[in-house]
Every structure is written in C-alpha cells, then in structure tokens.
Amino acid sequence: SPRGTFSFPGLPGTYIVGLWLPPGSDYALPNEQILTLSESGDLSDENGPLDNDKIEFSLSKVDSFVQGSLIDKDTNESIEGLVGEVYAMRIDGDGWQYGSIEANGTYSMLLPPGKWILEYYIEHDDQDRKYPQQTATPLEVIVGQGETALADFVLSAAAASISGSVVYESNSSSVSESTLYVWAYREESNSFPEYWDEVETDENGSFSISVLQGGKYEVGVILSYELRESDYLEPAKQMIKMSSSTQTGLEFRLVQPEQNNYLSGSVVD
C-alpha cells in the first residue's frame, strides 16, 4: 500500500516471502524470508514466532555505484554516438539493474554491494561502425559499500563480413516471405576473443553479418515460427574460416522431411 504495508491470504504451511524493487531503485533488494504459518494462524521463522505475526523487510539505501565507458580498442577512447543500455545481474544474491549509455559513451548506475556481472546492448549507432551489438563475454565486478567500482567495455569494430542467402531445397528459390535470423559465433581462443552476432535476412532471403577478422566461425540459421509450423527444419551449421576480410556465397537450404521420416508418440502420466 502507499504506507508500505502488504497483506495476502495464506494456507498453513512454509513460505518463501520476498520483496521486488524496480530497477533503478535507491534501495537494495532485501533477502528472502522463510516463514511458517501454523494451523492456528501464528507466523514464525527459524528464530521463533514473529512479533504481532507481521513480516518486516528492512531496506538499506544504496550509496555505491558502478560506472565506466564503452571504449574503442584501437583508439582507446570512449565511443560517442551510441544508444543503448548496460545491464547488471547479481550473482551472489538477488537483484538486477540497468542504466543508459550516454551520448559520450559512458554509463553509471546505483548498485548495492555485492558481486555482479555486466553486459551491454547497443540499440543504435549513428555512425554504423559495426561494433558488436551485445556483450560476448560479460564483465564481473565486485561493488563495496559506499564505493564506486569501475568497469569498461573494450570494443573492436567488425571490419570483416560473412554473407549469403537462405533458399528452399525443393526449388532453390529464396526464402523471402518469412524473416529469418542468421547468426555467427567464434569461440574464444588464445589468439582471438569470443564473438557473436546475428542479423535478419532481407526481402530477398540474403544476409550479411559483420564479424571480427580471423579465426573460425560457426554460422547458422534460426527459423521463423511460420516455417517451423510448416515443418521446415533448420539447416546444418557451417564452419567458416576467416582467412580473408570477406566470405561470400554461403547458402543455407531449408528442407521438409518426407512424411515417413516423422517421429510420433505420446506423453503419459
């Protein structure tokens, strides 16, 4: 309620009771409580009966921050002109937060003390510089009470590309009436960092993914709901070695299985 009270019906038994706070709140998310409601309506925790049979949550005001920048690896400067957000997920407790990426490439957000992982998502780049749209490897940061933790994302613009098309196996025509997603993934190695990105096919069933130069990429297709409902199967992934800055002419062929190749069965209790 507006006075900070709450009430809900409950049958006798043991409950986990928690409190959700909106992202960006000035208060830290409190720990959940394990409570038991007796047949007589008495409420208790591991220490015994609760005063007045009432649950209380004590909120602590947050006075710690995490801040940083999205930095270009080559120039070592903040990347200006990005629109997006940075997300924080707590890994030693409950809670998540988010903050906007400012026009100068920096971000800042309140974070309660604890261990967090950070990821970014770029919605728009006014200069279309082919930076990875989202984090390949999250950052881990430990925030202390009253402290400001620093965490920078270092990005490399994707100067290479992989392009091709998606066609139907039956007649080799382009898949143009349904939007598909094509993804490219490079596993982290001693020579190259992890990289992942995906794009939508265009009206001609074609795609072009910007990737980082070097290494081997797995490339695959994610089908639309309409194609799955029509029993099309996702084509096999392809392995591409980026020995040059461009790899063109990839072709993925969508197949419908023969009628007698279907699996059928039932699920029983």
Side-chain angles (χ1 to χ4, degrees):
S1 74
R3 296 177 296 159
T5 62
F6 63 90
S7 176
F8 52 86
L11 297 173
T14 300
Y15 292 83
I16 298 176
V17 183
L19 180 68
W20 283 103
L21 296 176
S25 171
D26 292 341
Y27 293 91
L29 194 67
N31 293 329
E32 296 173 342
Q33 300 183 36
I34 301 178
L35 305 171
T36 300
L37 182 65
S38 69
E39 294 284 350
S40 60
D42 296 321
L43 199 60
S44 61
D45 60 15
E46 59 182 5
N47 298 315
L50 299 185
D51 293 339
N52 300 319
D53 287 329
K54 288 187 176 181
I55 304 167
E56 289 187 352
F57 288 99
S58 180
L59 302 185
S60 300
K61 190 128 183 174
V62 178
D63 60 353
S64 48
F65 292 82
V66 63
Q67 63 184 34
S69 303
L70 278 70
I71 296 176
D72 185 284
K73 183 178 180 180
D74 295 328
T75 65
N76 200 34
E77 296 179 353
S78 295
I79 304 170
E80 299 182 354
L82 300 178
V83 177
E85 294 174 328
V86 174
Y87 301 92
M89 287 71 68
R90 191 166 180 177
I91 55 178
D92 62 347
D94 295 323
W96 71 282
Q97 301 280 16
Y98 70 91
S100 298
I101 301 172
E102 303 297 335
N104 61 0
T106 64
Y107 74 92
S108 177
M109 71 179 88
L110 281 167
L111 278 189
K115 184 181 291 185
W116 300 77
I117 56 172
L118 307 177
E119 298 184 354
Y120 72 82
Y121 181 79
I122 298 174
E123 298 176 10
H124 176 70
D125 178 1
D126 60 9
Q127 299 181 41
D128 193 24
R129 288 162 289 191
K130 307 300 182 184
Y131 289 113
Q133 190 176 35
Q134 56 196 46
T135 319
T137 303
L139 300 180
E140 186 174 308
V141 61
I142 297 176
V143 181
Q145 182 69 42
E147 297 179 354
T148 297
L150 302 178
D152 293 331
F153 296 94
V154 181
L155 284 62
S156 294
S161 66
I162 299 173
S163 61
S165 60
V166 184
V167 301
Y168 292 109
E169 173 72 25
S170 57
N171 55 17
S172 298
S173 63
S174 298
V175 181
S176 57
E177 76 284 357
S178 184
T179 300
L180 310 176
Y181 285 93
V182 180
W183 54 266
Y185 172 72
R186 182 177 69 183
E187 189 175 1
E188 183 179 9
S189 66
N190 293 332
S191 302
F192 302 106
E194 184 180 36
Y195 182 88
W196 182 89
D197 199 5
E198 68 178 14
V199 296
E200 295 183 29
T201 54
D202 63 18
E203 65 276 7
N204 299 313
S206 301
F207 66 89
S208 180
I209 307 178
S210 298
V211 297
L212 299 177
Q213 179 66 47
K216 294 181 179 179
Y217 284 87
E218 282 185 331
V219 185
V221 178
I222 302 174
L223 299 189
S224 64
Y225 174 80
E226 293 79 12
L227 289 171
R228 292 182 187 276
E229 286 293 292
S230 299
D231 294 333
Y232 281 98
L233 302 178
E234 290 182 345
K237 295 178 291 185
Q238 298 188 36
M239 186 66 73
I240 304 299
K241 185 176 182 180
M242 292 302 297
S243 55
S244 62
S245 60
T246 58
Q247 292 288 340
T248 62
L250 268 72
E251 187 176 77
F252 291 96
R253 307 181 76 85
L254 303 190
V255 179
Q256 285 177 309
E258 299 291 339
Q259 188 63 39
N260 59 359
N261 287 339
Y262 282 77
L263 296 174
S264 62
S266 59
V267 180
V268 300
D269 189 334

